[in-house]
Amino acid sequence: MAGLVGGISCCLGAAALYLLGRNNEKAVEALKSVTRVEKLRDLANKVLPSVVAISGKVGSDTPINCKYRDMQGVIVQEEVKQLILEKNEERSWDKNYTGVLSTRKTVPWYLDDGTARVKVVRASGVAGLLLDVGSSVYEDSGRSHDSSLQILGVKRVEFVLPIGTRLTVVGEAFRDETGDVWIQPPAKGPFYVAHETIDKLIADQGELTMWFKYASMGFAAFGFCLIVFQVINPHWDVNIRVLDADASAQRTTPDNA
């Protein structure tokens, strides 16, 4: 019975991986279909709104100054963690970090390639946008709460999207009433904010699609084998438990010789 359940579970996992692969394949096709804009000034001559891929350097008229480093960014996230010592079940001390506070600041920002600017909106929380570690500082505390918990200090880490970072944005470009061009998540279609080029994005998504495909085939084959083996040998798991029990009994039987 265990083999049948395991086989069915593997087949369900294979189906889930197949669906993920299909969704990823659609994402690859969507990326291939977007209009590539070589120079941001070219958007002035295009019919908008339209889903496009653009590249440029991050800029802002009101950048955020990092607290612990001479750096400016358009997104700054600060995470504060306490370094503690606490006693475990063996009464020895374990060192751990516990999250205390996380704050995130954003300001209006744009991409600039030297020919024009395109304002980017609703992009701060998009998946795939990796922030750099701007700074990491440690403040010694030396305080103790009780005999089972000691607070050693506080670690503050700033993650930042720095001014001047080159990014690729895939999204819907549109023109406002003043003629300025913006880019935002489309109602339907891909939206990416990444350090990679559009070609690298397509290649990475293609590799992920292939991984889902082969993993799905592997899970399906293994699950099918388990099910067939269970059907051909319906009592194999019972026999294995009996053999294990016999072996255990032999190990525990005193030697009468």
Side-chain angles (χ1 to χ4, degrees):
M1 189 64 180
L4 182 61
V5 173
I8 293 174
S9 298
C10 286
C11 289
L12 291 175
L17 288 170
Y18 174 79
L19 292 176
L20 288 173
R22 286 292 298 163
N23 289 337
N24 217 65
E25 190 174 6
K26 292 178 181 178
V28 171
E29 294 303 318
L31 278 174
K32 291 179 178 179
S33 67
V34 302
T35 301
R36 302 189 185 198
V37 178
E38 296 299 327
K39 300 292 184 181
L40 295 183
R41 66 185 176 195
D42 296 339
L43 287 170
N45 302 320
K46 291 188 177 297
V47 177
L48 301 179
S50 176
V51 177
V52 300
I54 62 174
S55 296
K57 292 183 178 181
V58 172
S60 175
D61 295 328
T62 56
I64 304 170
N65 294 316
C66 295
K67 290 183 181 180
Y68 311 108
R69 187 177 175 184
D70 185 16
M71 178 185 289
Q72 291 184 318
V74 297
I75 302 174
V76 177
Q77 179 174 318
E78 182 181 3
E79 292 186 0
V80 182
K81 297 182 179 180
Q82 284 183 334
L83 177 60
I84 64 172
L85 280 177
E86 56 183 349
K87 285 187 177 180
N88 55 31
E89 295 179 354
E90 287 76 26
R91 306 303 295 169
S92 60
W93 292 95
D94 288 335
K95 184 181 293 186
N96 293 306
Y97 278 105
T98 60
V100 178
L101 181 66
S102 179
T103 59
R104 189 181 183 96
K105 297 179 181 179
T106 62
V107 293
W109 60 283
Y110 53 79
L111 290 184
D112 189 335
D113 69 347
T115 66
R117 291 179 178 180
V118 174
K119 299 176 182 178
V120 184
V121 290
R122 295 163 53 195
S124 62
V126 64
L129 177 57
L130 301 179
L131 303 181
D132 297 337
V133 177
S135 61
S136 178
V137 296
Y138 178 77
E139 300 172 358
D140 192 11
S141 174
R143 292 178 297 168
S144 175
H145 276 189
D146 52 48
S147 59
S148 62
L149 177 65
Q150 294 182 12
I151 299 177
L152 300 181
V154 175
K155 183 178 182 180
R156 303 177 186 273
V157 182
E158 279 186 319
F159 299 92
V160 57
L161 179 56
I163 296 291
T165 301
R166 187 166 185 83
L167 293 179
T168 296
V169 179
V170 179
E172 181 185 59
F174 67 97
R175 192 176 290 108
D176 65 15
E177 61 276 4
T178 65
D180 291 337
V181 178
W182 301 63
I183 192 166
Q184 65 180 0
K188 184 179 180 181
F191 184 59
Y192 292 88
V193 181
H195 296 269
E196 297 85 0
T197 64
I198 180 71
D199 290 324
K200 185 65 165 56
L201 281 173
I202 292 173
D204 289 346
Q205 292 296 321
E207 290 179 3
L208 187 59
T209 299
M210 294 301 295
W211 185 91
F212 282 134
K213 176 182 177 181
Y214 290 127
S216 174
M217 293 170 60
F219 269 83
F222 186 65
F224 179 76
C225 289
L226 286 177
I227 293 172
V228 170
F229 190 77
Q230 178 68 51
V231 171
I232 297 175
N233 301 279
H235 304 299
W236 72 278
D237 51 341
V238 177
N239 294 334
I240 289 175
R241 288 197 297 269
V242 170
L243 290 174
D244 288 342
D246 289 344
S248 177
Q250 290 178 6
R251 287 194 298 268
T252 57
T253 299
D255 189 359
N256 296 324

